[in-house]
């Protein structure tokens, strides 16, 4: 049986829960595209105007930007098995990503503003090599299933 005081308490709890949802699940309606496997030094994830320190197990989403400090590095694994090693003093943005084999929908696009990264292709480059694109201020790289280092000054 609910009394006036228990109803007020439940209403307060419900409103507190509802207000907490947006902060905790900014990407609940969108699947993550990659996971941070390891971090050495300081790596920041910039998302929706805020910055957080990256840690192993953190999920990455399209439009996330990664910034590493001097001497830092990180390993990122995408859902299709693509591996990305982020080097020191690097600024890289995940522009686009889709890996939906049942619908034959694939996309992979990164922008390396500065720094260095090692790319090792996964399933997307085997199934749809033309959709893999890595850009920098001075060059664009089209990937055809390989492993390489890219640097931008």
């Amino acid at each position: 049986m609910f009394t006036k005081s228990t109803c007020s308490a439940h209403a307060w709890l419900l409103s507190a829960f509802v207000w907490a949802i947006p902060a905790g699940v900014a990407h609940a309606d969108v699947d993550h595209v990659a996971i941070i496997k390891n971090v050495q030094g300081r790596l920041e994830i910039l998302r929706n105007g805020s910055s957080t320190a990256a840690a192993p197990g953190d999920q990455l989403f399209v439009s996330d930007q990664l910034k590493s400090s001097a001497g830092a590095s990180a390993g990122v694994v995408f859902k299709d098995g693509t591996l990305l090693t982020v080097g020191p003093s690097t600024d890289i943005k995940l522009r686009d990503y889709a890996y939906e084999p049942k619908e034959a929908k694939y996309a992979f696009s990164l922008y390396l503003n500065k720094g260095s990264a090692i790319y090792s292709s996964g399933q997307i480059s085997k199934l749809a090599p033309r959709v893999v694109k890595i850009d920098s201020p001075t060059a664009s790289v089209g990937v055809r299933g390989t492993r390489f280092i890219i640097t931008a000054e």
Side-chain angles (χ1 to χ4, degrees), residues 29-113:
D29 57 337
V30 178
D31 272 345
H32 70 283
V33 299
I35 294 179
I36 304 240
K37 289 302 275 187
N38 56 56
V39 178
Q40 299 266 331
R42 183 133 177 105
L43 177 75
E44 295 288 322
I45 301 171
L46 285 78
R47 177 182 301 146
N48 299 330
S50 65
S51 174
T52 58
D58 284 350
Q59 296 179 342
L60 297 177
F61 300 87
V62 170
S63 297
D64 281 356
Q65 187 171 352
L66 302 174
K67 286 190 174 187
S68 63
S69 64
S73 65
V76 178
V77 179
F78 287 83
K79 284 187 165 185
D80 71 308
T82 295
L83 304 176
L84 184 71
T85 302
V86 178
S89 302
T90 295
D91 178 359
I92 194 164
K93 184 168 184 159
L94 309 176
R95 283 184 166 171
D96 194 13
Y97 185 89
Y99 181 62
E100 299 174 27
K102 290 180 182 177
E103 291 84 30
K105 182 178 177 187
Y106 308 104
F108 190 100
S109 178
L110 299 175
Y111 183 79
L112 179 67
N113 187 44

Side-chain angles (χ1 to χ4, degrees), residues 121-139:
S121 62
Q123 289 299 309
I124 291 175
S125 69
K126 292 177 178 100
L127 298 170
R130 296 190 194 285
V131 304
V132 180
K133 190 171 184 185
I134 300 174
D135 294 312
S136 73
T138 57

Side-chain angles (χ1 to χ4, degrees), residues 14 27-28 40 62 82 101 114 119 144:
L14 181 60
H27 288 284
Q40 299 266 331
V62 170
T82 295
K114 72 172 190 166
Y119 168 92
R144 300 295 180 261

